[in-house]
Amino acid sequence: MDTITIGKKAKAASRLTAAMRTDEKNEILLRTAQALIENREEILKANKADVEKAKQAGTPAPLVDRLALTEARIEGMADGLRQIAKLPDPAGEVINMKTLPNGLVVGEKRVPMGVIGIIYEARPNVTSDAFGLCLKAGNAVILKGGSDAINSNKAIVDVFKRAISEADISPDIVQLIEDTSRKAATELMRLNGYVDVLIPRGGAGLISSVVMNSTVPVIETGVGNCHIYVDDSAKPDMALNILINAKTQRPGVCNAAESLLVSEKAAPNFLPLALKALKERGVEVRGCEKTREICDGLDIIPAAEEDYGREYLDMIISVKVVKDADEAIAHIAKYSTGHSETIVTESYENAMKFTNEVDSAAVYVNASTRFTDGNEFGFGAEIGISTQKLHARGPMGLKALTTTKFIIYGNGQIRP
């Protein structure tokens, strides 16, 4: 099916989703959740083909991990849909209401955006999350996954469409563009009149391409060059636990730490301990000259300028010794992608300085950056993590997938 046809079908379906009652949307979510479980063998077989292809192509292990599905991960996808069904429906919520001096009653109400396009890379769980969140907010969705996960995505969407059809609802409320070419992606980016907003999820190259080429409004998400700053007063054990978790628990995701900054007072004691622990877990360390001097014998690779601005999505970390919190904040301002940063400190003054002056979507004190996630923040499954400042910022839950309109009640008023 060509992209224009998909757009037309989605636009028509969006009028159906916008008119659905909450209970109707929840029934579809529960049906599709159950369908994932009942058809897991079909999905796992398709995913196995994607994973084998990725391994043969030499894809890095963390990225293969993002692609791979297991029975537990499919159960997690299904549970995500069930959790979305339990969340309050934002569509129809009246945000405020006021009466003007002329008697007009002006209200503002949340309404669905219409058709949401999602362009993403090799994470088949996004297929499920995006469908569920878009539907609950009253939208139709067009999905454009990467070639790495095409078999997995087709299997998941096929399962969804069958379950939706069995509920006597148009399966066009969720559509997958099966053409994985750049041409098809560009066509989706320019479906003005059919797609109301486009959300890219993936690496810097994908997001940059969508932002530069799209004529449809874009919500920029995802790229995470996340920092951990260990302050003078940091408790070493706490700092080490946070660092290990943020870097190694799941290195191939956007909220994993990519850069470690350590104050020059804390560095002599903390760095040897921390970098030894990282290297024991298989992390490649790229450090500044001071880092290499302090950790002589640990085989630290000299850090190049570009290392401090990279989202590795791998078992690699850049390290720099900084004078103090001010220099750490300046470094973050220069190299951060505006995703998530944390300070480990016992200083209230430095904690406040860090949270006030670091301009990122999520700023932590004494906690891992890995918590930047819609589920962890209590939003249910997320559509992405916005690193821009318009409309939505940080983990995007249901409300971020709605817009507002004004409803005005009068009794014959005319403008003088």
Side-chain angles (χ1 to χ4, degrees), residues 296-311:
D296 185 36
L298 281 181
D299 190 28
I300 308 301
I301 297 171
E305 175 74 14
E306 57 268 22
D307 284 318
Y308 294 114
R310 288 185 61 183
E311 182 190 37

Side-chain angles (χ1 to χ4, degrees), residues 157-169:
V157 172
D158 284 348
V159 166
F160 285 167
K161 283 181 171 290
R162 293 198 299 267
I164 294 165
S165 296
E166 289 168 4
D168 292 326
I169 303 294

Side-chain angles (χ1 to χ4, degrees), residues 84 128-137 381-383 396-398 401:
I84 293 169
S128 179
D129 291 349
F131 159 72
L133 283 165
C134 288
L135 174 63
K136 185 61 181 271
E382 69 181 27
I383 201 71
M396 296 170 58
L398 288 170
L401 300 180

Side-chain angles (χ1 to χ4, degrees), residues 276-288:
K276 182 174 183 291
L278 287 172
K279 290 183 72 64
E280 286 174 348
R281 289 164 174 80
V283 178
E284 179 183 299
V285 179
R286 302 179 183 182
C288 67

Side-chain angles (χ1 to χ4, degrees), residues 143-392:
L143 302 167
K144 174 69 174 69
S147 58
D148 289 350
I150 186 59
N151 294 302
S152 307
N153 292 336
K154 285 172 64 175
I156 294 167
V157 172
D158 284 348
V159 166
F160 285 167
K161 283 181 171 290
R162 293 198 299 267
I164 294 165
S165 296
E166 289 168 4
D168 292 326
I169 303 294
S170 170
D172 293 340
I173 64 176
V174 55
Q175 306 227 33
L176 176 70
I177 296 177
E178 297 184 9
D179 183 347
T180 60
S181 68
R182 289 187 178 183
K183 179 176 179 289
T186 301
E187 288 174 353
L188 175 59
M189 295 178 207
R190 296 175 181 173
L191 275 184
N192 298 75
Y194 301 110
V195 176
D196 295 284
V197 67
L198 199 57
I199 303 174
R201 287 193 60 172
L206 169 67
I207 293 170
S208 175
S209 175
V210 174
V211 170
M212 294 299 293
N213 292 296
S214 180
T215 57
V216 173
V218 175
I219 297 177
E220 190 172 347
T221 68
V223 178
N225 181 22
C226 303
H227 295 76
I228 293 176
Y229 167 55
V230 179
D231 193 33
D232 296 353
S233 61
K235 293 180 178 178
D237 288 347
M238 178 192 291
L240 182 60
N241 287 337
I242 289 171
L243 171 64
I244 295 300
N245 177 262
K247 179 65 253 182
T248 69
Q249 193 229 12
R250 201 171 177 195
V253 293
C254 62
N255 57 19
E258 304 287 28
S259 189
L260 170 66
L261 307 175
V262 183
S263 77
E264 60 183 12
K265 290 184 180 178
N269 292 324
F270 180 72
L271 272 180
L273 173 73
L275 301 194
K276 182 174 183 291
L278 287 172
K279 290 183 72 64
E280 286 174 348
R281 289 164 174 80
V283 178
E284 179 183 299
V285 179
R286 302 179 183 182
C288 67
E289 191 57 38
K290 285 185 179 179
T291 297
R292 299 181 71 234
E293 289 175 6
I294 292 169
C295 299
D296 185 36
L298 281 181
D299 190 28
I300 308 301
I301 297 171
E305 175 74 14
E306 57 268 22
D307 284 318
Y308 294 114
R310 288 185 61 183
E311 182 190 37
Y312 293 106
L313 299 175
D314 203 348
M315 293 288 273
I316 306 171
I317 193 168
S318 64
V319 182
K320 185 175 177 63
V321 176
V322 295
K323 181 180 178 181
D324 52 21
D326 286 324
E327 188 175 334
I329 292 168
H331 179 97
I332 291 169
K334 182 176 181 180
Y335 295 105
S336 172
T337 54
H339 194 295
S340 302
E341 332 293 348
T342 191
I343 180 174
V344 186
T345 186
E346 294 301 300
S347 166
Y348 175 80
E349 179 182 356
N350 282 350
M352 292 302 294
K353 174 187 282 289
F354 195 84
T355 57
N356 287 336
E357 297 182 21
V358 170
D359 188 18
S360 291
V363 184
Y364 295 84
V365 178
N366 295 335
S368 171
T369 58
R370 287 283 289 115
F371 285 103
T372 306
D373 176 85
N375 250 327
E376 296 293 337
F377 281 12
F379 302 158
E382 69 181 27
I383 201 71
I385 298 172
S386 171
T387 53
Q388 67 180 31
K389 300 182 183 181
L390 295 177
H391 172 64

